[in-house]
Amino acid sequence: MFSAVADSLASLLFPSYCELCHHLIRRATGSTLCDSCWNQIQPWMGTVCARCGEPLISPQVPADWECGRCRRADTLFDFCRSFGIYDGTLRESIHLFKYGHRTRLGKRFSDLLMVLWNRWPQLADADLVLPMPLHRRRKRERGFNQSEILAQGFARQVGKPYEPRLFIRTLPTPSQTGLSRRQRRLNVAGAFEVRHPARLEGKVCLLIDDVLTTGATLNEASTVLKRGGAQKVLVLTLARVSPLAALGSERHSLEQDIL
Ligand SMILES: [Zn+2]
Ligand SMILES: [Zn+2]
């Protein structure tokens, strides 16, 4: 009761506005987004490739079904899942987090990764939680590494060791935007290094990143981690770029057609 009164008093005295839709935030939660915007961030609940987690259009596939890329052995990590498709409010809020420096969104985003942790028991095999490293020059420019914020909060919640310095980025690779899949692969070649191979030997690594685009960076990171002694590389990301985003509301009717 007291906290409800204190809450409304605080929101009267210090009104805060949602940074996406600009509506008044009613509760003094110190939040960057209003409840309505948060509620628009929904997990991908459709089918996925058993290995890389690529969202699939088919409403039903066998549980062990793998996408073409994984079947061609083009996926070098062992298991990956993403919370949602990189689109709409999820995309806008990640932008706010990364480029708008709203680092306190990190806590809520770690909670989204917990949804995946609770859904996929394979993740419990992880021995170490690692953030996708950012080159120190990039980190200095941005002021933080968004993946470190996510990975640290997540590691604390699941009670696994957090290792931000085992695996580093040695090249400040140019932005991947606008590059083809092949160019992306070349762009990240030689960009990573394992610092303490003894601590990685035989370990199952859980690598955390904000957005998965083509998987070129993850593939390169996984190759280096495995060369450095890791037994397996599991991956969690908040969002993933998917052609299904473009389909939007058409998706449902397409599924009907397939059925
Ligand atoms: Zn809002
Ligand atoms: Zn796949």
Side-chain angles (χ1 to χ4, degrees):
M1 175 62 193
F2 174 76
S3 72
V5 174
D7 234 24
S8 10
L9 199 63
S11 59
L12 271 175
L13 292 172
F14 313 103
S16 57
Y17 296 89
C18 172
E19 298 204 34
L20 286 184
C21 72
H22 309 296
H23 280 117
L24 182 69
I25 296 178
R26 299 206 173 277
R27 287 178 295 128
T29 53
S31 182
T32 310
L33 304 190
C34 70
D35 287 349
S36 155
C37 283
W38 271 113
N39 293 336
Q40 283 172 38
I41 298 178
Q42 291 295 325
W44 169 255
M45 294 302 285
T47 52
V48 293
C49 163
R51 183 177 172 120
C52 76
E54 173 84 33
L56 306 171
I57 198 161
S58 319
Q60 276 180 323
V61 290
D64 58 353
W65 198 89
E66 292 192 352
C67 72
R69 227 180 303 154
C70 288
R71 270 179 281 158
R72 287 194 305 272
D74 282 352
T75 303
L76 306 175
F77 39 92
D78 299 274
F79 184 82
C80 174
R81 290 296 181 267
S82 306
F83 178 81
I85 288 184
Y86 189 54
D87 194 28
T89 311
L90 181 56
R91 182 187 173 131
E92 289 170 36
S93 58
I94 292 174
H95 265 251
L96 208 54
F97 175 47
K98 235 166 127 168
Y99 307 112
H101 293 232
R102 298 303 186 269
T103 49
R104 62 183 173 187
L105 282 169
K107 166 74 185 77
R108 297 288 292 262
F109 283 149
S110 300
D111 292 344
L112 302 185
L113 296 179
M114 286 305 292
V115 172
L116 296 169
W117 174 265
N118 293 326
R119 191 166 161 207
W120 301 99
Q122 295 89 326
L123 297 166
D125 291 344
D127 298 308
L128 307 171
V129 176
L130 316 175
M132 177 62 89
L134 200 61
H135 187 265
R136 56 190 155 74
R137 191 193 302 163
R138 282 278 146 74
K139 190 173 165 180
R140 207 168 44 234
E141 283 163 7
R142 188 172 296 162
F144 62 98
N145 173 359
Q146 69 281 0
S147 303
E148 283 180 7
I149 295 177
L150 294 173
Q152 190 172 20
F154 174 79
R156 201 182 301 128
Q157 289 195 67
V158 299
K160 298 277 183 184
Y162 169 62
E163 289 277 6
R165 277 175 281 277
L166 253 187
F167 177 56
I168 60 160
R169 203 153 179 149
T170 48
L171 290 179
T173 45
S175 162
Q176 303 269 73
T177 314
L179 300 185
S180 70
R181 191 178 288 278
R182 187 174 171 278
Q183 287 168 325
R184 281 172 185 257
R185 204 172 57 225
L186 294 173
N187 194 31
V188 290
F192 298 101
E193 193 180 289
V194 168
R195 267 297 160 86
H196 306 282
R199 273 160 51 198
L200 197 64
E201 191 58 44
K203 296 290 198 305
V204 175
C205 298
L206 177 50
L207 191 59
I208 308 283
D209 203 0
D210 55 341
V211 182
L212 190 164
T213 309
T214 60
T217 308
L218 275 182
N219 268 347
E220 179 65 18
S222 304
T223 307
V224 175
L225 282 169
K226 288 187 178 179
R227 218 184 284 141
Q231 184 204 128
K232 270 188 181 178
V233 179
L234 316 177
V235 185
L236 280 184
T237 76
L238 276 181
R240 116 183 248 145
V241 172
S242 162
L244 296 187
L247 296 172
S249 54
E250 288 165 46
R251 210 185 125 249
H252 190 70
S253 55
L254 260 165
E255 280 179 358
Q256 300 295 317
D257 290 348
I258 292 169
L259 280 168

